[in-house]
Amino acid sequence: MKTGFVFDLDGTLVDSIPGIARGLNLALKSLGYPEHSVNAIRGMVGRGARELCLASLKGCFNGEVPEEAFEAVHRGFMREYPHTWQDGTVPYPGIREMLLELAAAGHPLGVLSNKPHVVTGPLVRHILPEVPFREVMGFSERFPRKPEPDSLLSIVRSWGMEPEQVCMVGDSAHDGNTAVNAGTRLVLVGWGYSSRAALDVFRVPVCASVTELSARLRDEDSLPFPVSAHRTIP
């Protein structure tokens, strides 16, 4: 049986920061809070919309961010982002071709994101319409966010596979710990939104280019299991 690949979305398959930044800044501006640069927002993403909104407010208050302020920004972002993700969200060069080659070779493909599911599905269909993903899953109330393993294990089960037959591909410690917690294999990419230090603790390949990633994924026998110093679930 061919290895199944489950890909993170933001920072792994697509560069989505411009659309996220526009949506967040529109929400902040509407409430009178200062906006952030695209580079600053790049360092806030990866943990879901609620954590993004909370991070955007931390410089505005001395101490803990008030719940009402956080909830207002979150509501604003969820209102704006479904209309702003199109602004500059693009697949990284070579990603589309790599995915099509893997699908043609018989590998099950999926997407697992902490982005809200209401946005994840339409975004993937719009940006990568030719890729026959078997599963596209964003965050919803069905499962807790990564790095909890429930959503990844649900995909594994739906494919009729065991965790060791599946490889998580991502750009962050959240992706790495999701693989650790689910017992899947893991390959990381270095072009995303995390620091190299956050990735190196897993002691798996950190691919510098899509060409390197493609070659690594085709070499199924060498796909490693992660070793993490920061396992999040006993």
Side-chain angles (χ1 to χ4, degrees), residues 3 24 29 38 41 57 62 74 76 84 103 109 117 132 137 141 165 175 184 226 232:
T3 300
L24 179 61
K29 183 178 180 180
V38 171
I41 291 172
L57 288 171
N62 292 321
H74 183 252
T84 65
L109 303 180
H117 185 71
M137 187 184 297
E141 296 304 317
Q165 297 172 302
D175 300 317
T184 68
T232 57

Side-chain angles (χ1 to χ4, degrees), residues 50-137:
R50 295 182 70 84
E51 290 297 321
L52 168 66
C53 294
L54 182 62
S56 75
L57 288 171
K58 286 187 176 177
C60 300
F61 298 93
N62 292 321
E64 188 172 345
V65 176
E67 183 73 15
E68 61 271 20
F70 157 64
E71 291 292 350
V73 172
H74 183 252
R75 285 194 301 270
F77 178 69
M78 295 303 294
R79 179 186 67 245
E80 299 292 347
Y81 186 51
H83 308 289
T84 65
W85 63 258
Q86 301 93 334
D87 295 351
T89 301
V90 294
Y92 290 105
I95 284 291
R96 178 181 285 106
E97 293 78 10
M98 181 196 73
L99 293 171
L100 290 172
E101 289 173 3
L102 290 171
H107 296 277
L109 303 180
V111 171
L112 178 59
S113 176
N114 274 344
K115 185 190 294 295
H117 185 71
V118 68
V119 176
T120 300
L123 189 155
V124 171
R125 288 193 297 270
H126 179 79
I127 299 294
L128 296 164
E130 315 96 322
V131 181
F133 291 111
R134 295 193 188 182
E135 185 82 44
V136 175
M137 187 184 297

Side-chain angles (χ1 to χ4, degrees), residues 70-214:
F70 157 64
E71 291 292 350
V73 172
H74 183 252
R75 285 194 301 270
F77 178 69
M78 295 303 294
R79 179 186 67 245
E80 299 292 347
Y81 186 51
H83 308 289
T84 65
W85 63 258
Q86 301 93 334
D87 295 351
T89 301
V90 294
Y92 290 105
I95 284 291
R96 178 181 285 106
E97 293 78 10
M98 181 196 73
L99 293 171
L100 290 172
E101 289 173 3
L102 290 171
H107 296 277
L109 303 180
V111 171
L112 178 59
S113 176
N114 274 344
K115 185 190 294 295
H117 185 71
V118 68
V119 176
T120 300
L123 189 155
V124 171
R125 288 193 297 270
H126 179 79
I127 299 294
L128 296 164
E130 315 96 322
V131 181
F133 291 111
R134 295 193 188 182
E135 185 82 44
V136 175
M137 187 184 297
F139 172 72
S140 70
E141 296 304 317
R142 288 180 63 200
F143 301 110
R145 291 179 178 84
K146 298 181 293 183
E148 299 285 339
D150 307 61
S151 52
L152 179 54
L153 288 173
S154 175
I155 293 174
V156 171
R157 288 191 294 268
S158 75
W159 290 351
M161 302 176 81
E162 298 297 326
E164 60 267 23
Q165 297 172 302
V166 173
C167 181
M168 181 77 203
V169 182
D171 75 312
S172 73
H174 282 297
D175 300 317
N177 278 318
T178 304
V180 170
N181 297 330
T184 68
R185 297 177 183 271
L186 175 68
V187 173
L188 295 167
V189 303
W191 57 76
Y193 306 147
S194 295
S195 69
R196 181 61 185 256
L199 306 181
D200 283 343
V201 296
F202 295 97
R203 303 181 197 171
V204 300
V206 179
C207 298
S209 68
V210 175
T211 299
E212 181 184 351
L213 175 63
S214 180

